[in-house]
Amino acid sequence: MSTENLPQSPEQQLRKPRVAVVFGGRSSEHGISVVTAGAVLRAVDRTKYDVLPIGITADGRWALTADEPDRMAITDRRTPNVDELAESDEGGVVLSVDPGSREVVYSEPGSVPKVLGEVDVVFPMLHGPYGEDGTLQGLLELSGVPYVGSGVLASAVGQDKEYMKRVFVSFGLPVGPYEVIRPREWANDPAAARKKIVDFAGEHGWPLFVKPARGGSSMGITKVDSLAGLDDAIAEAQRHDPKILVESLLRGREIECGVLEFEDGPRASVPAEIPPVTAHDFYDFEAKYIDSAAGLVPAPLTEEQTAQVQRLAVAAFDAASCEGLVRADFFLTEDGEFVINEINTMPGFTPISMYPRMWQESGVPYPELVDRLIQAALTRSTGLR
């Protein structure tokens, strides 16, 4: 039974919709999730919505947190964490898995649990595993609570770069050469797994990029110029994910494009370009979030190139059955072809993030972007759709 069909009490009809902004989480992208959530909390129209911030600690505890976005920013090159924002070291927030109720309960050891009221929609500002990968979306489906962004399948596909690429290939979208090393391969015969990568390099050339297969925010990625650096790169990727992805270097320009779901379907933003980052080997975590590498919005492309990348971005959105929003990342190769690198089903929303900047340039300012996502989620049912 889905709660959107339940009769509403007079109190429910009069009150403002309640938005739970959920952030933090167990992945290595915990800190960026907190920063992203801070930006969203600043932008939510408090005359239109009630807001309940819920942080998930690095060990998985759901904590009631202070609604203080100014404390959720990068300071002295350090990202914040949920433990610093939690109102208690032990208290926990529980979301009912009864689809007939959307109540949130808060409890502390030795105290009577406190009902915090119902939640109408969840804005899951989580990046990486245990949040962006379909796990939280599955919990919200069981609970019957609408949420911003893609469902279970699209979230899982968008997180696992191997299966993302397999889906894109099946829909005829252009992807670059890649190889996958699964945990069992490395555990059973690391020499054979290493040879697999070396053979890949022999076919496509050095340098290679070694990265976690199910990660984001450019964390755990190493550019490897020769065999000498391979083992260290594998170890770094495996710190984030036991399954790793190896990609060849695609020489060309880095182009991004945002997709947002409107009433008449998904539309693409103006694209952006990530220029070469001279202080970094590639567009890594430090370049993105610490040193604030500037992107060019809109990207200096021809009208034909702009239309092509916008078409490909929407096609990728549809291929993975996405909902709400996506940022699609491309390479424009030296021979003038677009190759899709990946999609992000919950892209960064920090003040310097490319997704909001692209939509700002496309005529959708940040507060309207946040509002559109919440409104779309409120009108979307949970369950099969």
Side-chain angles (χ1 to χ4, degrees), residues 237-270:
Q238 289 176 332
R239 286 200 315 111
H240 301 268
D241 186 351
K243 175 178 164 181
I244 65 171
L245 191 78
V246 180
E247 295 175 336
S248 63
L249 173 66
L250 292 176
R251 301 187 185 280
R253 298 160 62 186
E254 292 189 50
I255 305 295
E256 298 183 349
C257 190
V259 180
L260 180 64
E261 198 167 12
F262 287 75
E263 293 78 8
D264 59 351
R267 302 181 197 170
S269 69
V270 300

Side-chain angles (χ1 to χ4, degrees), residues 102 282 328 339:
R102 294 176 178 172
F282 62 98
V339 174

